[in-house]
């Protein structure tokens, strides 16, 4: 019950601070695109972190991933982001903002055909956000007290009963960085459990 109260408070806070207001910046979202709760959204970003992910994800087109959730009348995205606030954490923002031209140069929407699983995954994503989950800079998917973007999406779907990545993991070595057992955005693109709704 306390968790539900926290989530309701978070949704109210988002709307009061204007995050659920009408878009004030251009968005890459195509007109007429219908998103639903549980959709997986990917974007290719502009910054150094995005370039690092693309370098690690050999052949991947996207550097960031989140999950669509319904908050009142507004569709939002829950995603784990570093370097965008005072504290790196799991956040919730309107879909148009996730795909703002200041954040992205390309996007993609994937969908699970199992609606009950997708909805359960979305609800769990909101709970993960509401508990103030910090960003997982170690990219260690065995630590679910913190989350990185791909880990978050896989975690909430697995919690709902469906592994999207089927256990696929990668060892990454970049100048100054070495990570093991990492989930990458392209793992969702190649998942047989998902269908492509739109690329833009």
């Amino acid at each position: 019950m306390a968790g539900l109260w926290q989530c309701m408070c978070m949704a109210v806070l988002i709307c009061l601070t204007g995050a659920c207001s009408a878009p004030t910046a251009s968005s890459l979202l195509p007109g007429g695109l219908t998103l639903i709760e549980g959709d997986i959204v990917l974007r290719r970003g502009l910054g150094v972190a995005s370039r690092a992910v693309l370098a690690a994800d050999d052949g991947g087109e996207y550097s960031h991933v989140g999950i669509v959730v319904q908050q009142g009348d507004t569709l939002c995205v829950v995603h784990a982001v570093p370097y965008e606030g005072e504290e790196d954490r799991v956040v919730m923002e309107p879909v148009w903002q996730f795909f703002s031209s200041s954040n992205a140069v390309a996007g993609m929407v994937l969908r699970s055909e199992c609606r009950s699983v997708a909805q359960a995954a979305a609800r769990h994503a909101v709970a993960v956000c509401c508990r103030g989950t910090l960003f997982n800079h170690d990219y260690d998917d065995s630590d679910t007290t913190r989350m990185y973007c791909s880990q978050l999406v896989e975690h909430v779907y697995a919690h709902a009963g469906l592994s999207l990545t089927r256990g696929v993991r990668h060892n990454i070595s970049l100048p100054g960085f070495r990570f093991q057992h990492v989930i990458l955005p392209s793992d969702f693109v190649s998942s047989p459990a998902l269908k492509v709704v739109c690329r833009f």
Side-chain angles (χ1 to χ4, degrees):
M1 192 66 172
L4 177 61
W5 173 250
Q6 285 179 326
C7 291
M8 290 172 61
C9 288
M10 176 71 77
V12 170
L13 180 61
I14 287 169
C15 292
L16 288 176
T17 57
C20 289
S21 61
T24 56
S26 62
S27 177
L28 301 184
L29 279 173
L33 174 63
T34 301
L35 298 174
I36 57 178
E37 205 171 30
D39 280 354
I40 294 168
V41 288
L42 299 101
R43 73 185 185 201
R44 183 164 69 247
L46 303 161
V48 174
S50 295
R51 290 195 293 273
V53 173
L54 291 170
D57 195 354
D58 187 29
E61 299 178 60
Y62 304 98
S63 56
H64 193 56
V65 61
I67 181 171
V68 174
V69 301
Q70 185 82 44
Q71 291 295 290
D73 295 331
T74 303
L75 285 172
C76 294
V77 177
V78 173
H79 59 122
V81 288
Y83 316 123
E84 286 192 12
E86 292 182 7
E87 198 166 22
D88 303 341
R89 62 174 61 248
V90 175
V91 299
M92 186 189 314
E93 65 183 3
V95 174
W96 68 261
Q97 188 173 334
F98 180 86
F99 284 119
S100 166
S101 57
S102 62
N103 294 325
V105 294
M108 183 179 197
V109 179
L110 301 171
R111 182 169 294 164
S112 167
E113 293 184 350
C114 185
R115 298 310 312 137
S116 60
V117 168
Q119 290 167 346
R123 287 193 299 271
H124 190 56
V126 172
V128 170
C129 180
C130 288
R131 73 183 186 215
T133 304
L134 297 179
F135 190 85
N136 185 348
H137 286 285
D138 295 325
Y139 295 89
D140 175 8
D141 70 344
S142 67
D143 178 6
T144 57
T145 65
R146 301 174 298 153
M147 299 273 177
Y148 61 94
C149 68
S150 298
Q151 177 191 11
L152 168 67
V153 172
E154 171 64 11
H155 171 77
V156 297
Y157 261 88
H159 184 271
L162 176 63
S163 171
L164 299 176
T165 63
R166 300 157 294 147
V168 172
R169 300 294 185 270
H170 309 270
N171 296 328
I172 296 172
S173 182
L174 294 171
F177 298 96
R178 188 181 298 272
F179 301 105
Q180 293 186 319
H181 213 246
V182 176
I183 305 166
L184 294 169
S186 63
D187 294 328
F188 302 106
V189 178
S190 62
S191 173
L194 300 169
K195 66 176 183 179
V196 177
V197 175
C198 187
R199 295 177 186 262
F200 48 94

